[in-house]
Amino acid sequence: MSNWKHRHVLDLANFSIEDFATILKLANRFKAVPTSGTRKLPALQGRLIATLFFEPSTRTRSSFELAAKRLSADVQSFTPNSSSLSKGETPIDTALTYVAMGADVLIVRHGSTNVPEQLAQYLEKAGYKKTSVLNGGDGLHSHPSQGLLDLYTLAKFFSPNNPIPDAIQNKKIVIVGDILHSRVARSNLWALTACGADVVLCAPPTLLPEEFADFVDAPPPGQKYDPVSKRGRVTVVRSLKNAFQDADAVMTLRLQKERMRQNLLTNLKQYHYEYGITHESLKWCGKKVPVLHPGPVNRGVEISSALLEDNSICLVRDQVRNGIAIRMALLYLLATSN
Ligand code: CP
């Protein structure tokens, strides 16, 4: 992939439409490879991928590890509870240990914003040219592989045979829930608007400050320019009924109680009544629309169990499956361009 320019993947704010197209195209090729019979591709034979998850994960970590194995890479998995973190080692020194072992890609998840970026900057300054950093989710900031797999899932839904970024152009995508604490929402805002979708954000003011309407109006601090010349619109709507009018797809988010510093909701039952996604509330869309959720899920809070299990509408399983192909594409691009 000669047009690939990113040595690290830390955020989607600096991705051009060509970057999104490259990843979707490659993921689609990987997805077409049969997973039975000849299970592995030799593409990353002899490369080392390390997963450094300082914060818990089920989907992201497992699918990165599976993606690496399907490309025949060696995989090193770091487990914080049984590591030397308890002896005072810092996350950067932990990561440097895997760099010294010859890691080609470090996938880093951390509860604090910017730890993956700090590591990437450290590696650049210290002249470690062989190792890439891939953000597996940092604080409230960014979760690029999730944003990419959501984009691919939507593109595949709207254009099954040709899931390109254009497939979501002018679509109205509604994101509902705990947007304030969601790195997934932030990554989706960059990805979806870059591809020309209009994003409607819907939540009560405690979970969605009005300023989110301006989120993609300027690149984040430290980034000189926006590589996307014209983005889709972002609007903030408080009522689910209004947000759902003419929607083409709905994404609901988990209430992240572990990140809430104060009680932001009076009552979960009331929240479900006003913002929970159910077969009933989806009728406001006026047509059958797909529902996405990045997981993990609070059943009966942001989404009803019945809807979560309705595979004719709910794309959660597709998101998980597509996550493997997207992560194969990311690992391939990073590990072969160093
Ligand atoms: N969507 C997501 O990041 O899930 P995990 O926390 O299980 O990785």
Side-chain angles (χ1 to χ4, degrees), residues 122-316:
Y122 185 97
L123 295 182
E124 290 299 318
K125 256 194 180 160
Y128 292 106
K129 297 278 180 228
K130 187 187 165 311
T131 308
S132 290
V133 179
L134 216 166
N135 185 353
D138 64 325
L140 311 184
H141 172 227
S142 180
H143 193 345
S145 64
Q146 182 71 44
L148 290 165
L149 77 88
D150 291 339
L151 173 64
Y152 178 66
T153 303
L154 285 166
K156 191 109 183 122
F157 177 85
F158 292 119
S159 175
N161 296 323
N162 193 20
I164 56 174
D166 262 4
I168 67 156
Q169 191 160 33
N170 299 325
K171 299 289 184 198
K172 176 177 167 180
I173 316 289
V174 183
I175 304 181
V176 187
D178 187 358
I179 290 153
L180 178 64
H181 298 102
S182 177
R183 54 198 178 205
V184 175
R186 287 170 173 83
S187 286
N188 265 289
L189 277 166
W190 290 116
L192 298 174
T193 58
C195 302
D198 292 326
V199 180
V200 174
L201 302 173
C202 183
T206 48
L207 300 180
L208 173 59
E210 202 64 40
E211 303 84 84
F212 267 88
D214 309 327
F215 188 76
V216 298
D217 288 359
Q223 186 178 314
K224 289 193 184 102
Y225 69 98
D226 186 344
V228 176
S229 53
K230 191 172 183 316
R231 291 185 176 272
R233 281 169 302 166
V234 180
T235 39
V236 168
V237 176
R238 301 293 174 197
S239 133
L240 196 60
K241 186 175 179 181
N242 292 343
F244 275 4
Q245 269 179 20
D246 302 320
D248 293 298
V250 171
M251 182 182 300
T252 177
L253 302 170
R254 182 173 71 90
L255 281 184
Q256 300 196 33
K257 289 177 228 147
E258 76 278 14
R259 296 196 206 277
M260 292 185 191
R261 297 219 169 86
Q262 59 197 30
N263 218 355
L264 297 177
L265 293 168
T266 41
N267 175 332
L268 287 186
K269 232 177 174 176
Q270 182 66 21
Y271 178 79
H272 181 67
Y273 178 72
E274 286 183 56
Y275 294 99
I277 312 301
T278 63
H279 284 99
E280 271 305 300
S281 63
L282 282 179
K283 286 181 186 158
W284 289 323
C285 297
K287 59 180 183 279
K288 192 171 171 180
V289 301
V291 174
L292 288 81
H293 191 308
V297 171
N298 296 308
R299 281 175 182 253
V301 180
E302 64 263 4
I303 186 169
S304 67
S305 270
L307 183 55
L308 185 66
E309 285 163 18
D310 182 349
N311 295 327
S312 74
I313 303 175
C314 184
L315 303 186
V316 167

Side-chain angles (χ1 to χ4, degrees), residues 1-9 15 18-27 29-30 43-44 47 49 71 104-105 132 134 148 325-338:
M1 293 281 163
S2 54
N3 60 349
W4 185 253
K5 293 189 180 70
H6 299 272
R7 222 171 81 69
H8 309 284
V9 172
F15 268 41
E18 292 75 25
D19 294 327
F20 289 111
T22 298
I23 296 212
L24 264 53
K25 188 173 172 188
L26 190 54
R29 274 167 47 191
F30 283 136
L44 297 189
R47 313 275 180 158
I49 310 296
L71 293 170
D104 294 277
V105 182
S132 290
L134 216 166
L148 290 165
I326 282 289
R327 288 167 177 134
M328 285 171 81
L330 282 168
L331 291 177
Y332 178 83
L333 288 167
L334 290 184
T336 58
S337 56
N338 285 336

